[in-house]
Amino acid sequence: MVASEARPFCKTGGLADVVGALPAALQQRGEDVAVVIPAYRVNRYPGSLKEVYRNLRIALGKGYLVDLYESVERGVPFYFVDCPELFDRAGIYNEAGVDYPDNHLRYAVLCMAALEVGRHLFRPQLLHCHDWQAGLVPLYIRQFFQNDPTFVGIKTLFTIHNLGYQGLMPASTMAEIALDPRFFNPGGFEFNGLINFLKAGIVFSDAVSTVSRGYAREIQTPEYGFGLDGLLLERADRLTGIVNGVDYLDWNPETDRHLSQNYSVDDLSGKRECKRAVLAEFGLPADNLDRPLIGIVSRFADQKGFDLIAQVAHQLASLDLAMVVLGSGEQRYERLFHDLTTTYPDRFGNWIGYNDGLAHRIEAGADMFLMPSRYEPCGLNQIYSLRYGTVPIVRATGGLDDTIGPETGFKFWDYAGWALLSAVDHAIGTYADPEKWIEMMKRGMRADFSWDASAAEYSALYRRLAAV
């Protein structure tokens, strides 16, 4: 596998959760898996780290010498591409919201280094490439390694985690990252006069997958296709949707070390104590214990539906509820939650930033979890919420629609503030019936979205590809 991030080493979003957990689930099924990611400054290495290759020359741009390091996590070797000039920076993709101007070169070097790992350290039958940062891998095989014995007969799978991020780069960088101009056309990696890393992954891979069945359908439409819907429609026969799993070793209220008290589907008493604790952590009065508490843990962006929340914020505040919010992103939404907390200090609390422990405590302490996304390729928090007995309120799109049904949560379809408000009001009405609410909680807690089922689908897809 080739990716730009993976837990527990570095994380900005759900991609890291997938690349951190799927390989171990595949290993348990008997697959032999290795992962290649960059050696960022922010990486954390919980295990030992050893050098496995020194001064590997990558002939891109002015030329780079990289070192390769290995760490084994849950039985899976992770190879780190160490190139301080490109990766030893304060951020992963950007700083202060501004993308690094040499991202094209940084991830081209990652792609080429991954192929060198395949030649020297781990001989694969298949290369599984994740998102735009790994999109040049199948193209580089075609350009440089077609006759290399390592890659003869090798198959490539490209997984789209979020089509909204495509790795668009100026055409003037083509020579610097050694792209063949023959492929700079609408049938190749060209997109509106730009280089499109993600499009290269789609066009030159043997198969394409995305992270839910619903999202696989949606990205073939103009509404969700971000200009690539026609290409994906043409390749529908090689496009597969496989819903992400979750890591129940990390997300389990029975064993979660971040909680003030653990609990289970058979003994829910600890959940009320978790609610009491999270209210106190946000400085909200204890009289909120008896009203529904809505939790949000998210990146603050239009994609996540925060424009809908902004439309109806004061109507939400008029309902009999409390809300706790963790996240960061667009300043207008950070200001929105700051203003709500200032205006309604007894009912709203917010934490701007990222705090993993607090994310767990919100999942455990909230009664409901709100995800009103404009689009959501898969989503993980709604699945975490199910296991924690925190009933999701979601917009019916992508993976949210795939994973939440009327027996486990509340859905709305129209992308409109009134629809969100109606779903929240419906949830509050149901919460008022304790017997019905507890049954809904328990059905969600018993749902199984472990990586086992997803890994089985990926394994079957790998084998179909290998057999072609």
Side-chain angles (χ1 to χ4, degrees):
M1 293 195 189
V2 188
S4 58
E5 56 183 88
R7 289 192 69 198
F9 307 105
C10 54
K11 173 179 173 174
T12 67
L15 169 65
D17 293 311
V18 174
V19 182
L22 175 57
L26 289 165
Q27 290 271 63
Q28 291 183 341
R29 297 190 60 82
E31 306 289 358
D32 193 10
V33 188
V35 182
V36 183
I37 65 172
Y40 299 114
R41 181 190 302 175
V42 299
N43 279 10
R44 299 177 298 277
Y45 302 101
S48 60
L49 194 66
K50 66 176 182 179
E51 186 179 76
V52 290
Y53 204 105
R54 180 175 292 182
N55 291 337
L56 175 66
R57 180 165 180 78
I58 304 295
L60 295 176
K62 65 181 183 180
Y64 293 89
L65 290 177
V66 306
D67 298 327
L68 300 174
Y69 290 84
E70 179 189 39
S71 179
V72 177
E73 180 71 15
R74 292 167 63 179
V76 177
F78 284 77
Y79 294 106
F80 299 91
V81 179
D82 185 41
C83 183
E85 185 177 346
L86 296 178
F87 299 121
D88 184 13
R89 300 179 182 179
I92 291 182
Y93 309 118
N94 56 58
E95 287 182 43
V98 179
D99 287 347
Y100 291 122
D102 60 348
N103 272 348
H104 62 287
L105 189 54
R106 299 172 76 223
Y107 293 106
V109 167
L110 170 68
C111 292
M112 194 67 84
L115 293 172
E116 295 294 347
V117 168
R119 295 179 71 213
H120 300 292
L121 298 173
F122 185 97
R123 301 293 288 270
Q125 287 179 286
L126 181 139
L127 282 160
H128 186 168
C129 309
H130 294 267
D131 261 357
W132 73 260
Q133 294 90 347
L136 297 187
V137 168
L139 177 55
Y140 280 156
I141 292 175
R142 179 165 178 169
Q143 283 193 201
F144 300 114
F145 298 104
Q146 238 180 347
N147 298 318
D148 187 308
T150 301
F151 299 106
V152 171
I154 199 168
K155 297 298 190 295
T156 50
L157 171 65
F158 183 72
T159 295
I160 301 166
H161 293 261
N162 190 331
L163 193 66
Y165 299 90
Q166 298 184 6
L168 299 175
M169 307 296 172
S172 58
T173 63
M174 205 180 322
E176 190 177 16
I177 55 178
L179 296 182
D180 190 331
R182 289 184 303 137
F183 300 120
F184 188 68
N185 58 65
F189 56 77
E190 184 267 341
F191 182 78
N192 295 334
L194 299 170
I195 297 166
N196 188 323
F197 276 49
L198 186 133
K199 185 181 179 187
I202 295 170
V203 169
F204 295 101
S205 290
D206 296 297
V208 180
S209 71
T210 190
V211 290
S212 69
R213 291 177 295 278
Y215 193 57
R217 292 190 301 270
E218 287 177 351
I219 61 177
Q220 297 176 59
T221 68
E223 184 179 0
Y224 298 100
F226 288 92
L228 295 178
D229 47 291
L231 172 65
L232 290 160
L233 196 58
E234 289 174 9
R235 285 162 171 72
D237 60 339
R238 68 175 75 174
L239 176 62
T240 304
I242 299 175
V243 70
N244 284 338
V246 299
D247 188 351
Y248 288 133
L249 290 176
D250 194 30
W251 293 93
N252 184 348
E254 298 180 44
T255 57
D256 193 330
R257 60 185 175 82
H258 298 292
L259 308 188
S260 58
Q261 186 170 329
N262 295 116
Y263 60 95
S264 70
V265 67
D266 297 317
D267 181 5
L268 291 171
S269 58
K271 185 162 177 66
R272 187 170 176 84
E273 293 310 307
C274 289
K275 183 176 182 178
R276 190 190 309 275
V278 82
L279 287 170
E281 190 165 359
F282 277 92
L284 298 180
D287 62 8
N288 287 299
L289 266 173
D290 294 321
R291 59 170 53 97
L293 177 63
I294 294 179
I296 296 175
V297 178
S298 180
R299 176 169 50 87
F300 296 166
D302 284 347
Q303 182 220 319
K304 298 296 184 179
F306 284 91
D307 53 332
L308 298 189
I309 296 175
Q311 287 176 26
V312 297
H314 294 287
Q315 291 99 310
L316 281 171
S318 71
L319 299 175
D320 187 28
L321 58 80
M323 182 179 287
V324 290
V325 180
L326 168 64
S328 62
E330 295 182 30
Q331 288 191 355
R332 56 182 167 150
Y333 297 131
E334 292 186 5
R335 284 196 301 271
L336 168 69
F337 289 114
H338 176 269
D339 292 346
L340 285 170
T341 300
T342 302
T343 307
Y344 309 100
D346 293 342
R347 304 273 290 280
F348 283 78
N350 77 97
W351 180 299
I352 302 301
Y354 177 74
N355 184 321
D356 186 54
L358 182 56
H360 284 247
R361 292 190 288 278
I362 290 173
E363 286 287 8
D367 299 297
M368 308 166 187
F369 197 93
L370 181 59
M371 294 181 72
S373 302
R374 180 183 297 271
Y375 71 94
E376 193 66 58
C378 178
L380 293 173
N381 277 102
Q382 83 279 12
I383 304 176
Y384 301 153
S385 298
L386 291 174
R387 180 51 60 101
Y388 282 70
T390 302
V391 178
I393 305 170
V394 304
R395 180 167 175 263
T397 181
L400 300 179
D401 198 17
D402 285 353
T403 55
I404 303 303
E407 71 284 353
T408 58
F410 301 89
K411 292 196 282 193
F412 64 98
W413 282 260
D414 291 309
Y415 193 75
W418 64 263
L420 183 159
L421 201 61
S422 177
V424 172
D425 198 44
H426 185 195
I428 291 172
T430 307
Y431 182 84
D433 183 339
E435 185 176 340
K436 188 174 182 180
W437 188 260
I438 288 171
E439 281 307 307
M440 180 174 274
M441 289 171 59
K442 288 185 173 182
R443 283 194 295 270
M445 294 179 79
R446 293 189 179 105
D448 183 8
F449 288 96
S450 67
W451 271 110
D452 295 341
S454 301
E457 289 191 62
Y458 274 112
S459 184
L461 176 57
Y462 298 156
R463 295 183 189 288
R464 289 198 301 272
L465 280 172
V468 175

